[in-house]
């Protein structure tokens, strides 16, 4: 039994249509992200006005977030439940494309997060002192960044510039900046808001709350990651089915 299958929570049976959709959605996110990055790295930034450049950066940020969300779903076995090897292969590819992240280490830490949410054993939680957004974010990132990752990113960046002759401005605006913004987006909507301690204390067992945005805004902000209580309660539900679970939960109250 792999770690994703050991997560302590309820389960919802997924249909064969859902499993097929998971692979198609993951493939689409990976494909669109790759095509978009290649095209934007080849454009002449001097020909772009500020508004177009700004939208392009936001677009790339959104796609980078999609890559991580896909890797995250693979950790829960929901990208392709019928084939664990393919499921984790897709997760590994998305983790590398997102930021040269080691998938197995992510899987282990994410399993700890679900088993011990918002506690001293949760690798995503603050250290008890750094509770404000930026201090917690830096503490969070320090727990995931590695020297090997930084070295690999540096090699790719410089090789892209000196060997492939991609301008530094393109690399900065369409690769480096979107990746940083995406990490802030994921942290804010997936960790800080859902797991920040409420004034009346945590509710057990998940110590997570849902950020109940309208579905369209929930999708744009973080691929429905704000429906966080539902995610912890039903970790085998893919991101694109979380709104349905949220509606059912609200309707049952």
């Amino acid at each position: 039994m792999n770690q994703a299958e050991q997560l302590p929570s309820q389960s919802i049976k997924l249909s064969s249509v859902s499993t097929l959709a998971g692979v198609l959605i993951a493939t689409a996110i990976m494909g669109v992200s790759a095509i978009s990055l290649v095209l934007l790295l080849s454009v002449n930034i001097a020909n772009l006005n500020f508004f177009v450049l700004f939208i392009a950066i936001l677009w790339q940020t959104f796609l980078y977030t999609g890559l991580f969300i896909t890797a995250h779903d693979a950790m829960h076995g929901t990208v392709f439940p019928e084939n664990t090897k393919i499921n984790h292969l897709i997760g590994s590819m998305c983790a590398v494309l997102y930021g040269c992240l080691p998938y197995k280490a992510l899987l282990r830490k994410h399993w700890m997060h679900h088993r011990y949410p918002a506690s001293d054993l949760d690798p995503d939680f603050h250290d008890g002192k750094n509770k404000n957004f930026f201090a917690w974010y830096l503490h969070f990132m320090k727990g995931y960044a590695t020297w090997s990752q930084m070295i690999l990113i540096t090699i790719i960046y410089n090789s892209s510039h000196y060997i492939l002759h991609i301008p530094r401005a393109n690399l900065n605006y369409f690769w480096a900046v979107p990746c940083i913004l995406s990490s802030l987006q994921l942290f804010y909507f997936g960790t800080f808001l859902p797991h920040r301690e409420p004034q009346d204390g945590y509710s057990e067992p998940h110590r997570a709350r849902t950020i109940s945005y309208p579905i369209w805004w929930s999708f744009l902000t973080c691929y429905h990651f704000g429906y966080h209580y539902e995610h912890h309660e039903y970790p085998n539900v893919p991101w694109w089915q979380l709104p349905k679970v949220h509606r059912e939960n609200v309707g049952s109250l």
Side-chain angles (χ1 to χ4, degrees), residues 98-154:
Y98 177 78
C100 299
L101 294 170
Y103 179 75
K104 289 184 178 180
L106 286 177
L107 177 61
R108 182 176 63 255
K109 289 185 176 182
H110 194 63
W111 179 83
M112 291 288 289
H113 165 68
H114 272 264
R115 185 169 288 279
Y116 308 106
S119 72
D120 293 340
L121 296 176
D122 180 0
D124 295 356
F125 201 51
H126 58 71
D127 59 0
K129 298 179 182 178
N130 301 308
K131 296 182 180 181
N132 68 73
F133 174 79
F134 287 106
W136 188 350
Y137 170 75
L138 292 175
H139 176 76
F140 173 88
M141 292 301 293
K142 186 170 64 174
Y144 282 91
T146 64
W147 282 110
S148 59
Q149 176 196 14
M150 295 299 103
I151 292 171
L152 183 57
I153 289 175
T154 302

Side-chain angles (χ1 to χ4, degrees), residues 163-223:
I163 298 176
L164 301 180
H165 306 293
I166 298 174
R168 289 189 184 276
N170 293 59
L171 290 168
N172 292 337
Y173 283 126
F174 304 130
W175 184 38
V177 171
C179 193
I180 293 172
L181 292 177
S182 174
S183 70
L184 287 164
Q185 179 184 12
L186 285 160
F187 173 76
Y188 183 72
F189 291 103
T191 299
F192 182 74
L193 287 183
H195 291 291
R196 181 175 52 176
E197 184 172 6
Q199 289 185 348
D200 55 350
Y202 286 113
S203 59
E204 302 295 346
H206 305 307
R207 295 192 166 197
R209 65 188 183 97
T210 279
I211 313 302
S212 189
Y213 293 141
I215 290 179
W216 66 273
W217 186 238
S218 171
F219 171 62
L220 290 177
T221 53
C222 206
Y223 293 77

